[in-house]
Amino acid sequence: MKTVKDVSSATGVSIRTLRYYDSIGLLKPSALTEAGYRLYDEDALKRLHCIMLFRELEFSLREIAKIIDSPGFEKRKAPEQQLRLLKLKRERIDNIISAVNVMIITEGKTWTFRHSIQA
């Protein structure tokens, strides 16, 4: 079991965010100490990683909750699906970077982003 501080340090998710996720029911701690400190087990950490990936893909917290709490959600398939979406996002960003590079090289005369646009 990991404390909220341990989870925050390991994932980069702030303690405040973890508390917020708990308050909205998105990520409940696995247990509480007698003093009321949150503790997270491996299942909770896997859920947090899933949440983090969906956030990276710009899903809202409401959408994430709806997805991962739905009866049809397959935890084992989620990373593969998220990886596919992340690759699509990377491809989109790579295309934007290429377009900006062309714009820099041509000094803004032509900007190619799927279609040529004359400046």
Side-chain angles (χ1 to χ4, degrees):
M1 296 281 245
K2 301 218 181 282
T3 65
V4 72
K5 183 178 178 184
D6 295 335
V7 172
S8 177
S9 295
T11 63
V13 175
S14 72
I15 292 171
R16 184 176 180 181
T17 297
L18 292 169
R19 288 182 182 144
Y20 180 68
Y21 287 176
D22 180 12
S23 74
I24 64 171
L26 184 60
L27 179 69
K28 290 290 188 184
S30 309
L32 296 174
T33 66
E34 288 182 21
Y37 293 107
R38 294 167 179 85
L39 297 173
Y40 299 88
D41 64 10
E42 283 302 311
D43 286 338
L45 294 176
K46 287 177 185 175
R47 183 176 173 101
L48 176 58
H49 284 119
C50 189
I51 293 166
M52 291 170 63
L53 286 171
F54 277 122
R55 289 298 290 154
E56 184 62 35
L57 291 163
E58 301 174 21
F59 283 78
S60 72
L61 295 177
R62 183 172 294 182
E63 290 170 322
I64 294 168
K66 194 174 184 178
I67 292 167
I68 62 180
D69 291 333
S70 71
F73 181 69
E74 296 184 47
K75 287 187 255 184
R76 287 187 299 242
K77 289 186 179 181
E80 293 170 12
Q81 294 167 338
Q82 290 168 323
L83 179 59
R84 239 186 353 246
L85 291 172
L86 285 166
K87 286 179 178 179
L88 288 171
K89 182 178 180 178
R90 180 180 64 194
E91 184 178 315
R92 184 179 146 271
I93 291 170
D94 286 344
N95 287 336
I96 293 169
I97 290 170
S98 293
V100 172
N101 280 327
V102 167
M103 195 168 105
I104 291 168
I105 291 167
T106 63
E107 299 176 347
K109 294 177 184 167
T110 309
W111 183 29
T112 307
F113 184 66
R114 291 200 184 234
H115 303 288
S116 293
I117 300 173
Q118 295 298 320

